[in-house]
Amino acid sequence: MLDLWTEAVRSIEPFVKPAHRDLWLRPIECVAIDDDGHIRLRAPNRYHKEWFEDNFLPSILKDLEARAQRAFKVDFELVEEAVVPPRAVAVTPAPERRPAPSASVPLAARPPELMPRYTFDKFVVGPTNQFAHAAARMVAESPASRWNPLFIYGGVGLGKTHLLQAIGHEIHLQHPEWSISFVTCEKFVTDFIGSMMSQKRSSGGSSMEEFRARYRTAPDVLLIDDIQFLSNKDSSQDEFFHTFNALHYAHKQIVLTSDKLPAELPGVEDRLRSRFTWGLIAEVETPDLETRVAILKRKAELEKVTLPDEAALYIAAHVKSNVRELEGALLRIAARASFQGQPITVELARDAIAKLVANAPAGLTIEAVQREVAAYFDVKLHDLKGPKRHRAVAHPRMIAMYLSRKLTSMSYPEIGSRFGGKDHSTVISAVRKIERLCAEDPAVRSVVNTLEGHLRQP
Ligand code: ADP
Ligand code: MG
């Protein structure tokens, strides 16, 4: 049985760069394969385990399952049960298994903001994102050499965050000792305002210094998501201008994503807009039919869902707006199939999609949702759409955003604009939050169901 494992590993070795082979593949040891198909692996530490799982395990298992004609289950044991503090330089492999190239280099932990599913190998390339993908790979392979900054722009749900994170993963793999900062622009702004306020309160210099050390000095690579969030925020823009200059001057790679071209960013100073164009600008566009099919098939494979070609084609032909919607549709269809104990078929997909579309009560507007929610919670319509942040209005507002999304065909940016010009990312996080609360908290679920019931009545 163990030979099977060795052969499966060997089958993928030709596709792995020699340095990566030594660093990431060889240190994983197969301890046993039980008769019931249970594979037990030993990894030097959690960090190796995660890399192995993300990058090699799926291909090895595929090979193994093809050879053995059966399914396997994998468990890891860790040689070193080290607790890795976030961003700390702490994990060194056990001495006897220490991979040669890293012998003297301390490995930085993978930044916790980088999600395992946003890697290059999980990104499907087609004509509409080919250039952005190539640019991202180029920057990841030789950071800060020519294309600085890289500016990735395009509509919602088209893979900007995915590419940005993939760059982080790849650079981290190539330069495990580098400090990689991934932040949303919103976090940059919040951090900045936070340190300004605590600076004022304590009238000491430390918090601003800390902020600047964190953003200007520490990172070898700065990845900032959704830079359009800087619009009309003058002091944050000013701070970002200096952050940008410091990093750029020190030859540190900067990558930005945005929903608009630099020239079209409203309320952003010219000096910053012009800096955004210094390097390379790459657009991600709505994927074409073939790419949508390819994405569905890849997602199905990753989720271990059997998706026949005709069903993939059917879904891709009907869900066109963006990749996030495509993913959502696939997950709903897969959930339905598994619930009914049936395979996914075109009929089942058609049914589920029809339900999705029919789910939106005809003619329901965002304004109607807002009125209903405002009346239910007894808040002013004006406040529901306004900027106030205290819970008494913020909570109803999130519910109204969630219901607008669920019951009308409006996109995230459209919903944001009807709530007093909020950013689409605000709407997305509101929707996710209410989804989570509905799953966890029966009280929230019941309120949401009641409101939904009212709104569905003709
Ligand atoms: P954006 O940041 O542009 O709004 P995201 O990067 O968050 O979009 O992408 C939305 C979802 O779609 C993510 O789950 C992402 O993995 C997926 N996705 C987008 N483009 C692709 C692609 N080309 N291949 C695979 N998945 C993709
Ligand atoms: Mg994004």
Side-chain angles (χ1 to χ4, degrees):
M1 276 291 230
L2 280 177
D3 290 346
L4 263 181
W5 175 262
T6 317
E7 278 172 36
V9 171
R10 222 172 265 151
S11 76
I12 72 156
E13 281 197 349
F15 307 104
V16 182
K17 283 188 198 162
H20 295 189
R21 208 150 61 206
D22 294 337
L23 196 54
W24 303 115
L25 193 55
R26 298 241 161 99
I28 306 291
E29 188 188 345
C30 183
V31 185
I33 302 184
D34 301 340
D35 287 339
D36 62 353
H38 196 156
I39 303 178
R40 279 184 288 139
L41 301 178
R42 186 183 289 150
N45 50 51
R46 195 191 72 185
Y47 185 61
H48 269 87
K49 166 182 178 280
E50 283 174 4
W51 263 114
F52 186 81
E53 280 178 317
D54 293 351
N55 295 286
F56 304 126
L57 189 57
S59 321
I60 294 179
L61 276 182
K62 217 165 157 187
D63 184 275
L64 202 60
E65 289 173 350
R67 280 173 208 264
Q69 290 296 314
R70 62 173 304 172
F72 289 95
K73 195 172 154 281
V74 177
D75 264 337
F76 281 87
E77 56 182 79
L78 303 184
V79 174
E80 232 177 27
E81 284 285 5
V83 182
V84 188
R87 311 202 76 235
V89 186
V91 186
T92 327
E96 72 279 14
R97 250 179 295 278
R98 177 178 297 184
S102 72
S104 58
V105 196
L107 302 184
R110 174 169 76 196
E113 299 82 12
L114 294 183
M115 306 221 263
R117 64 174 203 277
Y118 291 152
T119 50
F120 279 125
D121 67 324
K122 298 190 179 93
F123 190 84
V124 176
V125 183
T128 56
N129 59 27
Q130 197 173 23
F131 182 72
H133 172 261
R137 283 220 100 122
M138 227 153 56
V139 160
E141 262 155 44
S142 32
S145 54
R146 273 178 78 188
W147 314 114
N148 203 10
L150 170 62
F151 188 97
I152 302 173
Y153 81 99
V156 192
L158 297 180
K160 300 183 296 294
T161 301
H162 190 138
L163 281 177
L164 188 66
Q165 293 227 341
I167 294 175
H169 281 292
E170 187 63 26
I171 297 184
H172 177 60
L173 183 63
Q174 308 274 356
H175 307 275
E177 72 288 4
W178 283 16
S179 157
I180 297 169
S181 273
F182 176 97
V183 272
T184 60
C185 185
E186 187 168 3
K187 174 147 188 340
F188 178 89
V189 170
T190 322
D191 278 4
F192 172 63
I193 293 170
S195 27
M196 269 204 319
M197 297 206 313
S198 62
Q199 175 109 339
K200 269 193 198 135
R201 246 181 275 123
S202 66
S203 69
S206 71
S207 57
M208 209 58 205
E209 268 163 33
E210 264 167 42
F211 176 88
R212 294 199 169 135
R214 180 154 79 246
Y215 286 103
R216 295 189 194 179
T217 326
D220 291 302
V221 177
L222 180 65
L223 310 170
I224 297 236
D225 206 9
D226 291 321
I227 196 73
Q228 73 274 358
F229 196 78
L230 278 183
S231 290
N232 301 316
K233 302 192 175 63
D234 294 347
S235 57
S236 301
Q237 266 183 49
D238 196 51
E239 182 62 30
F240 188 71
F241 177 75
H242 295 292
T243 305
F244 184 101
N245 289 346
L247 291 170
H248 197 272
Y249 183 74
H251 299 288
K252 305 293 178 63
Q253 180 70 47
I254 302 162
V255 186
L256 311 155
T257 69
S258 164
D259 66 355
K260 293 183 194 65
L261 273 167
E264 291 163 1
L265 281 171
V268 172
E269 300 167 57
D270 286 344
R271 58 178 189 167
L272 204 47
R273 280 210 294 241
S274 86
R275 271 161 178 72
F276 293 164
T277 66
W278 278 1
L280 188 61
I281 298 184
E283 181 178 10
V284 284
E285 292 171 274
T286 315
D288 57 359
L289 182 68
E290 283 77 22
T291 313
R292 294 203 298 278
V293 171
I295 290 174
L296 281 169
K297 297 181 90 168
R298 184 87 177 93
K299 300 275 172 202
E301 188 186 310
L302 289 171
E303 301 286 334
K304 305 208 171 27
V305 168
T306 312
L307 177 69
D309 288 352
E310 319 83 72
L313 190 59
Y314 184 86
I315 302 168
H318 288 83
V319 182
K320 305 178 210 167
S321 49
N322 67 52
V323 183
R324 189 174 288 132
E325 303 277 325
L326 205 57
E327 271 180 4
L330 175 64
L331 289 181
R332 258 175 273 201
I333 291 167
R336 196 182 166 100
S338 110
F339 182 68
Q340 299 180 348
Q342 287 179 351
I344 297 181
T345 57
V346 172
E347 288 68 45
L348 190 136
R350 180 184 301 138
D351 229 48
I353 288 179
K355 203 136 192 200
L356 271 182
V357 178
N359 237 343
L364 187 68
T365 60
I366 293 181
E367 286 67 29
V369 175
Q370 290 170 332
R371 274 196 304 274
E372 182 75 32
V373 174
Y376 183 93
F377 286 101
D378 198 19
V379 297
K380 293 201 190 82
L381 200 52
H382 171 79
D383 285 338
L384 194 75
K385 298 193 235 173
K388 282 189 189 158
R389 279 172 177 245
H390 55 260
R391 206 188 124 81
V393 297
H395 184 68
R397 183 185 299 134
M398 285 191 291
I399 290 183
M401 287 178 169
Y402 167 85
L403 288 169
S404 300
R405 178 62 186 171
K406 183 162 183 199
L407 302 178
T408 75
S409 55
M410 294 295 164
S411 67
Y412 292 117
E414 282 163 333
I415 297 171
S417 75
R418 307 296 181 79
F419 278 82
K422 295 198 175 50
D423 193 73
H424 66 78
S425 58
T426 309
V427 183
I428 292 173
S429 55
V431 171
R432 292 203 182 135
K433 175 140 189 208
I434 299 301
E435 275 169 358
R436 204 186 63 232
L437 287 175
C438 281
E440 289 167 359
D441 184 341
V444 176
R445 184 160 62 236
S446 134
V447 168
V448 169
N449 284 343
T450 306
L451 283 164
E452 187 175 334
H454 291 173
L455 289 164
R456 281 184 181 283
Q457 261 151 38

